[in-house]
Amino acid sequence: QVQLVESGGGLVQAGGSLRLSCAASGRTFSSYAMGWFRQTPGKEREFVAAIRWSGGRTYYADSVKGRFTISRDNAKNTFYLQMNTLKPEDTAVYYCAADVGYSGSNYQLWKYWGQGTQVTVSS
């Protein structure tokens, strides 16, 4: 059973930074991709970034390119989302996700999910 546990959300002023973490357990993740999505009330879950565990290829939504960085620590089975130059429109519940292979930006194709962590960016 894959388990994903997130941490690192909070309140930050516009222009600030936060780092989200997602600790993964229950599998050997070498064939997996890990991702971050976000959701605001009344909207569908939105792709933010993803990384292939093996090889480290990364993918980003246009809205976060150049500001957010996804990375992983193989030894800790943990992946991260470093968020810089945060904007009020980045406010959302952020979810980490995992699946075998890269499932693209459609959240409905990702199998495993964390519980979500709130990120609030004040103006």
Side-chain angles (χ1 to χ4, degrees):
Q1 181 75 10
V2 173
Q3 288 191 321
L4 303 174
V5 179
E6 300 153 3
S7 59
L11 172 65
V12 64
Q13 286 189 332
S17 298
L18 277 177
R19 188 177 80 157
L20 306 182
S21 301
C22 184
S25 62
R27 287 284 192 279
T28 300
F29 292 100
S30 57
S31 61
Y32 276 62
M34 323 300 276
W36 290 97
F37 290 75
R38 64 188 182 186
Q39 190 170 21
T40 53
K43 291 190 176 181
E44 283 206 334
R45 202 162 290 189
E46 174 190 26
F47 173 75
V48 176
I51 186 168
R52 291 184 185 266
W53 199 270
S54 178
R57 182 175 178 180
T58 57
Y59 309 82
Y60 293 96
D62 288 342
S63 58
V64 306
K65 277 180 185 175
R67 300 188 299 122
F68 291 10
T69 302
I70 189 170
S71 62
R72 82 237 188 271
D73 185 328
N74 290 350
K76 295 182 178 180
N77 259 13
T78 299
F79 62 107
Y80 306 94
L81 185 68
Q82 177 66 45
M83 305 184 293
N84 298 329
T85 320
L86 281 160
K87 305 175 181 179
E89 51 263 43
D90 294 318
T91 296
V93 177
Y94 283 71
Y95 297 88
C96 62
D99 203 358
V100 178
Y102 175 54
S103 298
S105 61
N106 183 349
Y107 75 94
Q108 294 176 318
L109 300 180
W110 289 72
K111 185 172 183 179
Y112 302 104
W113 292 90
Q115 78 282 5
T117 186
Q118 177 70 46
V119 171
T120 302
V121 184
S122 63
S123 57

